[in-house]
Amino acid sequence: MTAKIIDGTAIAQQVRDEVAERVRTLATRGVEPGLAVVLVGENPASVSYVRGKTRDAAAVGMRSETIRVPADVSQEELLRLVNELNENPGWHGVLVQLPLPDHIDERSITEAVMPEKDVDGLHPVNVGRLFRGEPGFLSCTPHGVIQMLLRSGHDPAGKHAVVCGRSNLVGKPLAGLLMQKRRGGNATVTVCHTGTPDIATYTRQADILIAVMGRPGTIAADMVREGAVVIDVGVNAIPDATKKSGQRLVGDVDFDSVAQKAAAITPVPGGVGPMTRAMLLWNTVLAASGGPESLDR
Ligand code: GUN
């Protein structure tokens, strides 16, 4: 079997078109959705991710601004900035790009963003709502994965989904979404992690296999069931002398061999990454429309 490619770039464009339509509708009501992004320091990956987020916002007619803060900012100054953004009615969404420098307590910054503007869906209130199946902002990468599955004809309902990785950013909330009794959920979910002996025993049982480990080539062909749907959330830079930058991006899945066995697979780049940014815009439109309760997903 040679896998069909699940094209994240194309599906993200679909989502952005829908968001752009909602932005136009909001404009007729005098509402202009606004997204404030805080970027601390010069981490090259973060700089690149944030550039992608603001470029996508512009593409759907959304107002966004990146507030750049030096890496040696104090915790108090950063908290003050987040509070200012919280209180400014012009910003419907507020996002602090992670990771933060070591001297900053990431948890208190994440919790400082008010849940009603937490378009990242990382505040514990929104994470709690996600797990309880209540309206709240869904974290962007997990929601992007669900939308990718649905829109490519791979509804997780009734399937065995195996999530490899248990990060707060992706693994845990993704498992939470997949198990919900709602559209995009209803899967039977197994979560594998560094404490799982013989991970392949589980991955080989997956109808939908999701790799979120952050290590290149961790999922090899012998770990995948023939005909599985494989979603690669990993983004790893590896040395490549043929590239001008001296490196290239690969996922956690050994793409070439797994693509021979899977029914469908996401590429890296061009898979989950664009979906994460699209769902951020989606959340920002929801925030500007009166919150996640205001629209059906
Ligand atoms: N760093 C990597 N992914 C993300 C994300 O989705 N949100 C934020 N705030 N930081 C990130």
Side-chain angles (χ1 to χ4, degrees):
M1 179 173 286
T2 304
K4 274 190 77 163
I5 303 294
I6 302 177
D7 184 349
T9 305
I11 301 173
Q13 183 61 51
Q14 239 179 48
V15 175
R16 280 199 301 276
D17 290 346
E18 293 166 20
V19 170
E21 180 63 40
R22 292 195 198 276
V23 170
R24 286 191 289 272
T25 307
L26 283 169
T28 64
R29 288 195 246 139
V31 179
E32 188 189 13
L35 170 65
V37 180
V38 178
L39 174 59
V40 182
E42 306 283 338
N43 177 327
S46 293
V47 171
S48 159
Y49 289 149
V50 165
R51 198 175 296 135
K53 289 173 186 184
T54 51
R55 188 188 55 219
D56 283 3
V60 298
M62 187 179 284
R63 194 167 55 86
S64 79
E65 187 178 321
T66 303
I67 297 119
R68 293 194 74 149
V69 177
D72 62 357
V73 66
S74 71
Q75 171 99 5
E76 291 68 32
E77 283 171 295
L78 194 52
L79 280 172
R80 206 173 310 127
L81 171 61
V82 170
N83 284 329
E84 276 170 29
L85 298 169
N86 278 340
E87 282 162 21
N88 184 336
W91 298 123
H92 301 93
V94 174
L95 175 159
V96 181
Q97 185 66 23
L98 305 177
L100 292 170
D102 288 345
H103 68 281
I104 304 279
D105 177 21
E106 212 162 85
R107 186 171 139 198
S108 26
I109 300 297
T110 304
E111 291 183 13
V113 176
M114 61 196 280
E116 294 75 15
K117 293 194 177 188
D118 170 40
V119 288
D120 242 348
L122 299 182
H123 191 288
V125 164
N126 283 316
V127 177
R129 288 175 178 158
L130 178 155
F131 271 90
R132 289 168 61 102
E134 296 165 358
F137 290 113
L138 303 180
S139 37
C140 300
T141 302
H143 190 201
V145 169
I146 299 291
Q147 287 296 322
M148 252 181 142
L149 287 168
L150 287 173
R151 291 170 187 250
S152 62
H154 301 289
D155 191 329
K159 303 281 169 42
H160 182 199
V162 177
V163 180
C164 296
R166 58 177 160 186
S167 63
N168 285 329
L169 201 54
V170 186
K172 283 182 204 161
L174 182 51
L177 281 178
L178 286 163
M179 74 173 72
Q180 292 304 313
K181 192 171 180 178
R182 60 182 274 179
R183 185 164 151 73
N186 275 312
T188 302
V189 183
T190 299
V191 181
C192 298
H193 43 71
T194 45
T196 308
D198 193 13
I199 282 188
T201 306
Y202 303 94
T203 59
R204 279 198 283 264
Q205 296 175 42
D207 301 312
I208 298 173
L209 177 59
I210 300 165
V212 203
M213 295 112 123
R215 251 177 303 126
T218 322
I219 301 291
D222 64 350
M223 298 170 74
V224 178
R225 193 177 60 75
E226 188 84 33
V229 174
V230 179
I231 307 288
D232 192 350
V233 186
V235 183
N236 311 289
I238 60 163
D240 183 344
T242 69
K243 302 281 179 203
K244 211 167 91 186
S245 62
Q247 58 180 33
R248 70 186 159 99
L249 295 182
V250 296
D252 292 350
V253 174
D254 179 23
F255 183 88
D256 291 340
S257 68
V258 172
Q260 299 304 313
K261 217 163 167 192
I265 188 167
T266 62
V268 178
V272 175
M275 291 302 295
T276 297
R277 301 198 302 270
M279 300 330 294
L280 173 67
L281 303 179
W282 183 276
N283 278 347
T284 307
V285 158
L286 280 182
S289 308
E293 297 85 355
S294 64
L295 293 172
D296 261 339
R297 263 190 293 260

